[in-house]
Amino acid sequence: MTVIDDSGPMVRAEQVHKSFGRTEVLKGIDLEVRSGEVMCVIGPSGSGKSTFLRCINHLEKIDAGRLWVNGHLVGYREKGGKLYELRDREVSAQRREIGMVFQRFNLFPHMTALGNVMEAPLRVKKEPKAAAREKALALLERVGLGDKCDNYPGQLSGGQQQRVAIARALAMEPRLMLFDEPTSALDPELVGEVLDVMKSLALDGMTMIVVTHEIGFAREVGDSLVFMDDGVVVEKGVPREVLNDPSHPRTQDFLSKVL
């Protein structure tokens, strides 16, 4: 088990840059997220929010800068001032500490809810089947789906599928949870059930970075709020302060359209 370094931030980004071809998507991101903190990230489409999230678990490789999770460089080792990319096996080991929930649920359609939640502990962590099943049942109960363990994704609503996806991410016992607009693909009446699960995680002290359009969730649950635009952090602060009295004109303009 990796030891948490409580003296430092859970996530630290220093001058993170990322381009796709000639398009610079991240233009020098500096951020810190404390252990147990819920950071909500808002901003217009194309501002780099999702790309930054994907860089944190090395689904996207950064072009410059440094990213640390729990005191460890993500995706690289540093020697003599130079970065050397880790092997796939080492990157996979790092990702075990980072749970990610996407817009689309990405569940295995041929597996039941229980099977989806059990899969990674069985395959990746090589847990005994009985232990993996017991933990998966407890996690489905936790997200309010204890009675749906034998249902296949096609038999579940969008909100239920997303809650299974959250349980699946939690099954790896991550230190950090990343949420990439987890409610954007849901019908409005199903959003609340997913946000309720996320609120319970926050109350339990899970470190979370949440890219979201749900301003009410950011105001109520977030410890910090980041507004990104055009690949940079424009403004960061306490959610209520940023939302009620944004200091940057670009933040003011964005919030005037969404509040």
Side-chain angles (χ1 to χ4, degrees):
M1 180 180 292
T2 303
V3 177
I4 292 180
D5 179 7
D6 289 322
S7 64
M10 174 64 75
V11 180
R12 179 157 62 101
E14 284 187 2
Q15 283 299 295
V16 171
H17 289 256
K18 174 66 182 177
S19 296
F20 295 103
R22 295 185 178 180
T23 303
E24 193 177 14
V25 179
L26 301 178
K27 303 176 181 178
I29 301 294
D30 292 304
L31 279 176
E32 288 192 355
V33 184
R34 303 182 314 275
S35 180
E37 178 180 350
V38 178
M39 174 181 283
C40 294
V41 184
I42 63 172
S45 296
S47 59
K49 308 182 302 295
S50 295
T51 297
F52 177 62
L53 218 59
R54 292 172 65 85
C55 288
I56 292 174
N57 65 359
H58 207 58
L59 287 175
E60 299 289 354
K61 300 175 184 179
I62 64 176
D63 298 321
R66 301 284 192 277
L67 262 171
W68 292 266
V69 171
N70 196 25
H72 301 286
L73 267 177
V74 174
Y76 301 90
R77 69 167 55 85
E78 188 166 7
K79 187 176 182 180
K82 293 184 178 181
L83 292 182
Y84 299 89
E85 190 165 6
L86 298 178
R87 294 182 294 241
D88 289 345
R89 178 170 52 81
E90 295 170 303
V91 173
S92 295
Q94 286 187 335
R95 286 198 186 118
R96 294 180 195 179
E97 295 199 335
I98 307 171
M100 188 158 184
V101 178
F102 301 88
Q103 293 181 26
R104 297 292 173 180
F105 325 121
N106 298 325
L107 298 177
F108 296 115
H110 62 288
M111 292 184 180
T112 63
L114 181 64
N116 269 278
V117 179
M118 289 175 60
E119 180 69 2
L122 286 174
R123 299 274 185 182
V124 179
K125 298 179 80 173
K126 309 298 183 185
E127 290 185 4
K129 188 171 183 179
R133 176 182 171 83
E134 183 179 355
K135 181 167 69 176
L137 287 170
L139 285 169
L140 287 170
E141 193 70 43
R142 180 178 183 181
V143 300
L145 294 172
D147 60 337
K148 302 292 184 182
C149 61
D150 294 325
N151 288 52
Y152 290 88
Q155 300 170 314
L156 301 172
S157 71
Q160 290 170 334
Q161 289 184 62
Q162 192 63 295
R163 284 186 281 157
V164 172
I166 293 173
R168 179 179 60 181
L170 293 173
M172 291 296 286
E173 299 177 329
R175 307 283 195 193
L176 168 69
M177 285 286 287
L178 308 176
F179 292 88
D180 187 7
E181 299 186 13
T183 60
S184 65
L186 301 178
D187 292 333
E189 66 269 22
L190 302 177
V191 168
E193 63 192 51
V194 174
L195 293 181
D196 284 345
V197 171
M198 294 169 64
K199 289 175 188 176
S200 74
L201 290 178
L203 288 172
D204 287 345
M206 174 64 74
T207 310
M208 298 160 58
I209 304 178
V210 184
V211 171
T212 185
H213 294 296
E214 301 293 336
I215 301 298
F217 176 86
R219 186 192 302 271
E220 178 185 350
V221 182
D223 298 301
S224 60
L225 181 67
V226 169
F227 172 66
M228 285 182 63
D229 187 35
D230 196 28
V232 300
V233 174
V234 176
E235 189 163 349
K236 177 180 182 294
V238 177
R240 290 180 183 275
E241 293 176 2
V242 175
L243 293 171
N244 294 339
D245 189 23
S247 61
H248 196 283
R250 182 65 188 94
T251 317
Q252 295 168 7
D253 180 61
F254 175 79
L255 290 174
S256 72
K257 294 179 172 67
V258 301
L259 290 179

